[in-house]
Amino acid sequence: MSYISLSDRDKKEMLERIGVSSLEDLFRSVPDQVKLKRKLDLPPALTEPELLAWMGEMAGRNAYGGFLSFLGGGAYRHIIPVAVDHLSSRGEFVTPYTPYQPEISQGTLQVIFEFQTLVCQLAGMDVANASLYDGATASAEAVLMSNRLNNRTKILVARSLHPHYRRAIQTYTRNLGLELVEVGFTESGRLDAAGLKAKLDDRTAAVVCQSPNYFGVVEDFETIFGLAHGHQALSVAVVAEALSLGILEAPGRQGADIVAGEAQSFGLPLGFGGPYLGFMACAQGSVRQLPGRLAGLTSDLEGQRGFVLTLSTREQHIRREKATSNICTNQAWCALRATIFLETLGHDGLREMACQNIQKAHYALEQLTAVPGVKARFSGRPFNEFVLERPRKWAEADAALRKQNILAGVALEHDYPELKGCILVNVTEMHRREDIDRLAGALREALR
Amino acid sequence: MSYISLSDRDKKEMLERIGVSSLEDLFRSVPDQVKLKRKLDLPPALTEPELLAWMGEMAGRNAYGGFLSFLGGGAYRHIIPVAVDHLSSRGEFVTPYTPYQPEISQGTLQVIFEFQTLVCQLAGMDVANASLYDGATASAEAVLMSNRLNNRTKILVARSLHPHYRRAIQTYTRNLGLELVEVGFTESGRLDAAGLKAKLDDRTAAVVCQSPNYFGVVEDFETIFGLAHGHQALSVAVVAEALSLGILEAPGRQGADIVAGEAQSFGLPLGFGGPYLGFMACAQGSVRQLPGRLAGLTSDLEGQRGFVLTLSTREQHIRREKATSNICTNQAWCALRATIFLETLGHDGLREMACQNIQKAHYALEQLTAVPGVKARFSGRPFNEFVLERPRKWAEADAALRKQNILAGVALEHDYPELKGCILVNVTEMHRREDIDRLAGALREALR
Amino acid sequence: MIREPLIFEISDKGKRAFRLPKLDVPFRKDLLSGYPVREEVEGFPQVSEVEVVRHFTRLSQTNYAVDIGFYPLGSCTMKYNPKVNDRAASLEGFTAAHPLAPAELVQGCLEVLKRTEEYLCEIAGMDAFTLQPAAGAHGELLGLMLIRARLTEKGNPRRTVLIPDSAHGTNPSSAHISGYQVRVINSDQNGRIDLADLDRAMTDEVAALMVTNPNTLGVFETDIKKIAGLVHSRGGFLYMDGANLNALTGISRPGDMDVDVIHINLHKTFSTPHGGGGPGSGPVGVKKVLEPYLPCPVVGRKDGRFVLEGDRPKSIGRVHSFHGNFLVVVKALAYILTLGPEGLREMAEVAVLNSNYIRRSLEGLYHLKYETPTLHECVFSDKLQKEHGVANIDIAKRLIDYGVHPPTMSFPLIVPGALMIEPTETEPRRDLDLFIQAMTSIAREAAENPELLKSAPHTSFVRRLDETAAARNPVLKWTGSVKPPQAR
Amino acid sequence: MIREPLIFEISDKGKRAFRLPKLDVPFRKDLLSGYPVREEVEGFPQVSEVEVVRHFTRLSQTNYAVDIGFYPLGSCTMKYNPKVNDRAASLEGFTAAHPLAPAELVQGCLEVLKRTEEYLCEIAGMDAFTLQPAAGAHGELLGLMLIRARLTEKGNPRRTVLIPDSAHGTNPSSAHISGYQVRVINSDQNGRIDLADLDRAMTDEVAALMVTNPNTLGVFETDIKKIAGLVHSRGGFLYMDGANLNALTGISRPGDMDVDVIHINLHKTFSTPHGGGGPGSGPVGVKKVLEPYLPCPVVGRKDGRFVLEGDRPKSIGRVHSFHGNFLVVVKALAYILTLGPEGLREMAEVAVLNSNYIRRSLEGLYHLKYETPTLHECVFSDKLQKEHGVANIDIAKRLIDYGVHPPTMSFPLIVPGALMIEPTETEPRRDLDLFIQAMTSIAREAAENPELLKSAPHTSFVRRLDETAAARNPVLKWTGSVKPPQAR
Ligand SMILES: Cc1ncc(COP(=O)(O)O)c(C=O)c1O
Ligand SMILES: Cc1ncc(COP(=O)(O)O)c(C=O)c1O
């Protein structure tokens, strides 16, 4: 099936009109030297039922459903209302390009406009863009943007920032003459304010800090950003668990100059890590340095309200090498899903969901630390994740849990050698009390 | 969740506008005597995730997926192209009413018009309606229509007509002074033509015969309907496996006056028996006696082509007790699915699917009758179903198959005491060769 | 604007939208020679997948629907159809269940059926329900068959069914098809059943009275108990058309009104989508005395399991190939479980609130033949507008220009030029207000510029369609001679 | 016609579209006091489910899309997006897979990734692929980072990247963000890279040449081997922007043209839907020499199982939080498996056929700056129409009235007033012909009635929108002071 729509007669007549005698003739400009003289070495074509059978087999080779998972670490399992799937799967949302022709793209444009508004409301900022690739690249873009805004080159990055985001920041900045300096964490799991103070200076472009941080601990943004502003450095708040914004104070009200992060929690499935939803918001005054697309309000010939892409002089298709970012295709459809998700939950639903995460995380923390030998690693307050210190017998325990199809959490040693033996446990509104109790019970059993 | 959209303020203001002080006041016309003084005794409301969990549990208590089923008997498992689900689930198709306002229902109306055309093409008839409830009621309606057309009262019904359809015909006709007479079948599984000849007379309104019949055997419509016409009786062809029309001669070309049946095979899932898709087609001259809705071509004020419901003087909302049928709501959305299904498969795809059914049924028949002790009950040619005579040991064999999650077929004894020990085995394009071999192997093993 | 062609008009040889897996059993070329095989299906289309997808996507966009906006089609209860119900009905465990599978292997389906029956019994106050009927009219027919079976057993099926003049067309039609004559009962000046006329008509040859309550004016039959008493005292049965149950859930139960048989439209009261005309589901509830006659098979409970009782001696037989529109039932059950007892009551309350809000807002602008209080719907007429030569159909078509679906006009017959408005409980205030504004503007337009209404709609995909021409010279299918559409 | 309000304009307290299950652990009231809790999310909406459903359903209907009609947006390869691919990507085994799950528990996902990499290697003739980039531009950036890492390791990252003047805007932008200066290379009179200019520019401070082939005019760079030789001989790398691969699958492989790095747009060539602007996927393929630098983790095969190699010493690091847009990759793989080797070749052939059919049909009516033969797309300009004061944007907006999506106009910069047309292989003949007819009529209208074009579109949901005003006084979010729309 190559999904072509021409009948045999069509092909014949069209070749005639063009004035060539075969399809081959159309490729005369491709030199023989670079022509492929054989068939591609790929499996023979599958029909639709065969394809679905094969894909079903692949999908079946992953752990889901039957597994009880407490994995988080930047990818969260949350409720997705049925309306999100139903509405986002409409062909009119799935199959258009970027809305370059606003007169026939009002749907997409108004959705982006609403998305921008929702992000601003949650982040407490003036302006938000139409999306970036994901949390890691949004963090990296925030760093680049800080540098553009104040021309400083030293970036202080919290060690408690998602390790993949840190790695991406490294990768992105390596070639641009920026200096990255890490700021550690204390026994509370929060950013080491003293260390921050020591490293802050007038070359500091930005302080990058995540809350809830990678350990699930809620940071004291106000203090941290206060320190940054003392040196006219910019405050970059990263939010990897966007749901927290439903209940925690908006970073914008705690002094953030740029808020960047990951909004996968808003209606996107785990999907083995993508597509997710990077977002970024900033103050009005910085909008010309903001990367990514923006939808704005305008009116038509007849004075009717309408929406268009705007301020595109920031973008690559106009400014080429002088653009604020090279991003072109973004994650628009993911932003659509987030918009449907947020409008379906509404103010009260979002708050309730966020509250349930806090309550359940606490319940889980209590139940799990009641297991002899298991301790909380940090004293800071968790949103929906926390780090447990594992007793020595853990390795066997882990195997025992695995046999019961339980994934207790993400092991931290690889990214944090200093946290050898620790795991990051995520609990959301999707975990029923009995799930948590099951984990605690299995752990108790395994560690006996 | 009661899915209401009023805010608290709305309710208050609306009550004020109406001039009552509470919702209760709106029900003053309901006498106290018949008011319910208590809360309904129903389970407490479920949220969306709870509902889906509960429904998932119910769905999980049925046999599917893991089972290898050869059940047919009027409900067939066929390929459903993904496009059918995708397109038919659009809100604009799912949530309108009957297209009483044609100017804003052109989508539904054109689909019905195309459906009518496709049914006419398949059945070889002049006119088809927009659907009836299902195969059983379509058969019953065909009998009533025959009686309306020629005012005769004796109906000859093939014993090889689907037993549920026969039962429905009995139920429908019992109160209307019609006499039902059964015509048996021969060793070929086909209608007993001699018996038919003997029972035909000038009081005979119609001969009702199904092909492929309930035993899966293809009938000789031409001979049967020729006999009927000899007495000016009407020929009613029933088609319970509509896929057969993709390859077998159209009943209309074999003398049928009315074609009625079940089109579940066209894009509708088994769904525990419904919703399915009754259909009916007839000759141009009989259209005023046809039950059910009809879409027809017309033009608008500006001369543009458009579609409307037409000839509604046949229907209950205009003619009340003089209508051709009491049907109002029909199975429009199922007809939509069938239309998408048929247009996706297209001429060649439908033919190929039908051919594969014949080929696979033959392969299965061969494999199964090669098992010692298993015999074909009838000599007639099958479309995609056939009757096997089971050796005595079958009861145990059946249990053994069940243990292996194999459902070999529908037992016929209940509906046909004379076929005690026989089962009806259905094979479609969905059965892979290995499935058929597995059944044969398991049978061989069990009967050893 | 490109008009959507018929699929047949874009069909051509060699295009394909679907391929089957290759036949995996030995191909027997000779096989077909034994069959009455057709050479081709003449005219049958052949297109590509993108053509199919665009065809139906574009066609869908020419439909108005509940998912698009306000749909106050009286008597049809066009409420919002929750998407979660569709999801539930598409679970593979339901869609892949075979209707002839052994009961042990479809316990989930049987539990869904049984629970729905039981919940409907509680909601309607009846003793037993069957879910076999595929729609309301099907339920009516079945209900009358049950009555007839009972009466026949007692010696006389009787001859007549009484039906109020305000009833829906399916009532008389169903009566006719179940072998009864129809005697129409007049309405009184309040729009209720005229008790005197009923008294006259209710002889010992009357099998049943079919009552709709609230009736199609939206008016509650206050004397329902008295009516039931009268009918019962003369050996008849009281049948209730439950199409308007949306006004009463949790408020009042038909069983408590001494109704003997009722059908319910799951596609109205219980929110299953109408699908452009179906499928629906029209369960029938009965009192004990009629239970033995229910169609088979009946779902039973036995030792904590669910069983199918195939043969009950007095059963009238079958009215459906299998168990009715099962997947529709799943949706209705999902709805009942989601609303719960409080939600079901709130649903009726707000349906009645919305209707009365509209009624109060349009009073004076449109004529209201009956001033009687109404519940979930109200019926205005075009009497005032007729003075300007404007009929209900013109008002209806003009509403289309305002982005609203028109009300029901074809009945009740006792209100000439009817505009039967049923907003349902799910409508937002804003949409109610837009409708009220539109109707208000239209009332003014009718006086000032009647032509505007008579040539309406102006903004729809097609202009007003000629229904008379369609019926005069019916073209009911595509043939090569159907003229393709023009681009405009 | 009612204009769709912003959700914020219909929000009100007390409405709800969703309820969560009740908290099933003990509720600790005191808990929140330890957090920096917000009182509310100011302005955040609160609506009912039917309002959400109608809002998005109605909004969707104001979009044009591939599922609606012809979308010949040049360089964007707006082909049909098969529905079965979406179904595959929605299988629960994929959607519920956690990116940090142990490799043994996500073997299916890893196999999907690995197979896609391998098939892309075969299609593009490269040695290794990474699927991490989320879009084409992301791939460009990564590709240049790889080159830079290699050059840095060899002692000098170099300073400049060469980019033809016909290139897409992301090329120079990506070069800039990876730390390079841009030197533009001129096109020759055939629209191909000017070899003399390239020769001049290709110094030993040049890291790479970014070539698009066929280029954005649709013209194949016939001298590609020679170009590669030149770049390689001076120590540079040849980067190919694979956005136009749709012209070449099964015909010619970039790897065989001596390309060192390529990015491919799965959302173009491999049919994954654009979703109104994303998500895409921009896999990067490299020759052996660059493989050690690929971002981590890399999917490997070991003992018949799939593993994730987290740390490769020379890896440039990470450009994505996890493994890229995995579910998009699933769709692309589904497409490759469905087409197979013959289908992939046919796809390129018919894409080129359709494009040349349009080109031939419009030649003469519109100006063609370069007469060079083209493959999958062709670039006309408004030069002839400019004589009547009509610009490409007016032609574009007028096409909307004919029900077609306009071509690309923002580039290539070397064609002033460009109309870049790419029909793709999936387009039906009828739609091609309707487009040709529309363009033909518009050419006539431009001469006879230029005003008609300048005030176009006339039939769309909104009229021509004022983009200048939007940028002059940007309103980028809703606040209470945004004026609600008027009914018209
Ligand atoms: C009052 C009334 N009774 C009966 C019916 C018939 O129901 P159905 O269309 O489901 O057959 C309707 C539906 O239109 C109705 O409004
Ligand atoms: C030639 C060319 N290169 C690069 C890109 C950038 O790709 P993406 O939008 O996926 O980032 C595009 C897409 O617009 C393009 O057309």
Side-chain angles (χ1 to χ4, degrees), chain A residues 2 5 17 34 36 38 41 63 90 94 96 103-104 108 134 164 245 249 271-272 298 300 305 320 330 366 382, chain D residues 9 28 35-36 38 55 60 63-64 95 97 105 122 167 251-252 275-277 321 346 361 397 426 463 466:
Chain A
S2 60
S5 299
R17 163 105 58 110
V34 297
L36 186 68
R38 57 169 176 83
D41 183 16
R90 289 178 58 84
V94 174
E103 292 83 1
I104 47 176
T108 296
D134 68 355
H164 295 178
L245 296 173
E249 185 53 283
F272 201 53
T298 190
D300 74 1
R305 172 165 108 178
R320 301 179 80 85
N330 57 22
E366 258 173 36
Chain D
E9 293 165 340
R28 284 184 44 191
Y35 290 85
R38 67 203 297 171
H55 183 60
S60 79
N63 272 356
Y64 193 85
T95 59
L105 298 183
E122 166 65 6
I251 306 278
S252 178
S321 300
E346 186 182 32
S361 304
K397 299 297 179 194
T426 59
R463 299 292 306 278
D466 190 342

Side-chain angles (χ1 to χ4, degrees), chain B residues 97 328-329, chain C residues 75 135-137 140 168 170 241 243 263 265 267-268 411:
Chain B
Y97 202 74
C328 177
T329 292
Chain C
S75 207
E140 293 170 22
H168 187 261
T170 50
D241 179 334
H263 84 261
N265 296 51
H267 46 302
K268 298 183 178 178
F411 79 108

Side-chain angles (χ1 to χ4, degrees), chain D residues 178-244:
Chain D
S178 48
Y180 286 112
Q181 293 165 2
V182 171
R183 155 74 153 91
V184 173
I185 302 296
N186 298 333
S187 298
D188 66 15
Q189 77 281 10
N190 296 315
R192 296 199 172 93
I193 285 177
D194 181 339
L195 289 183
D197 195 33
L198 177 63
D199 192 19
R200 272 193 301 279
M202 187 63 223
T203 70
D204 59 5
E205 275 300 335
V206 169
L209 166 68
M210 293 182 88
V211 64
T212 307
N213 198 16
N215 67 24
T216 63
L217 296 167
V219 170
F220 193 85
E221 295 286 355
T222 319
D223 290 322
I224 186 71
K225 282 279 237 187
K226 207 188 265 176
I227 292 170
L230 184 64
V231 171
H232 288 155
S233 72
R234 301 188 190 161
F237 286 89
L238 184 59
Y239 183 101
M240 177 165 146
D241 178 335
N244 290 345

Side-chain angles (χ1 to χ4, degrees), chain C residues 70 72-75 214-219 244 351-363 366-381 407-408 411-412 415 418-424 435-436 439:
Chain C
F70 189 34
L73 197 66
S75 207
N215 67 23
T216 63
L217 297 166
V219 169
N244 291 345
V352 172
L353 172 65
N354 286 351
S355 167
N356 277 282
Y357 177 69
I358 287 179
R359 174 176 163 167
R360 169 55 51 102
S361 305
L362 297 182
E363 259 168 11
Y366 292 88
H367 184 252
L368 199 59
K369 181 167 169 194
Y370 300 95
E371 305 249 310
T372 325
T374 45
L375 294 176
H376 69 299
E377 66 189 3
C378 53
V379 182
F380 286 95
S381 86
T408 293
F411 79 108
V415 180
L419 291 163
M420 183 199 237
I421 301 164
E422 180 184 14
T424 89
F435 173 71
I436 291 165
M439 287 293 280

Side-chain angles (χ1 to χ4, degrees), chain B residues 286-344:
Chain B
S286 316
V287 62
R288 307 235 161 222
Q289 289 305 334
L290 189 66
R293 300 215 165 89
L294 289 169
L297 190 77
T298 189
S299 53
D300 74 1
L301 265 184
E302 295 171 356
Q304 287 287 352
R305 170 165 109 179
F307 302 90
V308 292
L309 289 180
T310 192
L311 298 184
S312 39
T313 49
R314 298 163 304 110
E315 290 185 67
Q316 47 73 30
H317 65 285
I318 307 281
R319 292 265 286 190
R320 302 180 77 87
E321 65 267 31
K322 296 192 193 67
T324 54
S325 165
N326 68 332
I327 193 167
C328 177
T329 292
N330 56 23
Q331 307 281 115
W333 186 74
C334 303
L336 164 75
R337 284 183 67 98
T339 306
I340 303 172
F341 173 95
L342 291 170
E343 296 179 3
T344 300

